[in-house]
Amino acid sequence: MTAIDLEQKCIDAGLKMTAPRKVILDILVHAKDHPSVEDVYERAKERDASISMATVYRTLGLLDELGLVFRHEFSDDQHARYEVSSEHHHHLIDLESGKIVEFQSQEIEDIKLKIAEELGYELVECRLELYGKKLNAK
């Protein structure tokens, strides 16, 4: 998703597109990581010194409420992390480096659906987080 696409979704949802919000959206769309509020704030301050931490918190909260970003609370981290809503994927968190690796697996998708069906449910939402340590190369 581009910053323009995300901006249009915000407008469609009735949000006023202020300059600080545009900066925050651009940061989120171009993030190669899953930034925390503090990360977004630091990156935003580099572009516009007038952006406050409160603005970042409010904007991320609104985007989360609208379903335009995902708010993650990985169990090994003290900060919520954000990413723009995109195609369905899961995360593997490296416990040593903190790196978050995104992955997709049709096999996992099939197993999730099978489990829900066997238990008499329709699967509506699922977030899978794997935690691990990198194997030493031999």
Side-chain angles (χ1 to χ4, degrees):
M1 181 179 310
T2 68
I4 305 263
D5 295 335
L6 188 55
E7 189 175 320
Q8 187 59 53
K9 288 185 178 203
C10 290
I11 291 167
D12 293 346
L15 286 183
K16 182 179 176 190
M17 288 313 305
T18 62
R21 283 184 179 163
K22 288 180 181 183
V23 169
I24 292 166
L25 293 179
D26 190 61
I27 288 166
L28 291 170
V29 166
H30 291 98
K32 301 288 187 226
D33 56 356
H34 295 72
S36 66
V37 173
E38 292 78 11
D39 295 331
V40 173
Y41 172 69
E42 290 302 321
R43 294 171 194 178
K45 290 290 284 181
E46 290 175 6
R47 296 190 197 181
D48 181 347
S50 71
I51 294 176
S52 70
M53 180 68 90
T55 297
V56 174
Y57 269 107
R58 277 193 309 272
T59 301
L60 290 174
L62 286 169
L63 295 172
D64 183 36
E65 285 177 29
L66 293 170
L68 299 175
V69 298
F70 283 121
R71 181 177 191 264
H72 297 283
E73 294 188 30
F74 300 120
S75 67
D76 70 321
D77 201 345
Q78 297 177 5
H79 301 85
R81 305 232 168 235
Y82 294 84
E83 70 176 321
V84 174
S85 298
S86 62
E87 60 187 37
H88 185 71
H89 62 273
H90 301 291
H91 299 94
L92 182 136
I93 296 91
D94 184 315
L95 292 170
E96 293 173 343
S97 69
K99 180 179 177 182
I100 300 167
V101 179
E102 295 180 350
F103 69 94
Q104 294 176 313
S105 167
Q106 189 58 51
E107 185 177 6
I108 290 173
E109 297 307 313
D110 295 342
I111 290 169
K112 292 184 322 188
L113 292 171
K114 182 180 178 196
I115 290 168
E117 184 179 310
E118 287 176 355
L119 295 172
Y121 287 86
E122 174 189 359
L123 188 62
V124 175
E125 169 73 24
C126 177
R127 293 186 187 191
L128 177 63
E129 298 169 6
L130 304 175
Y131 295 83
K133 295 179 180 179
K134 191 102 170 162
L135 296 174
N136 293 328
K138 293 185 180 185

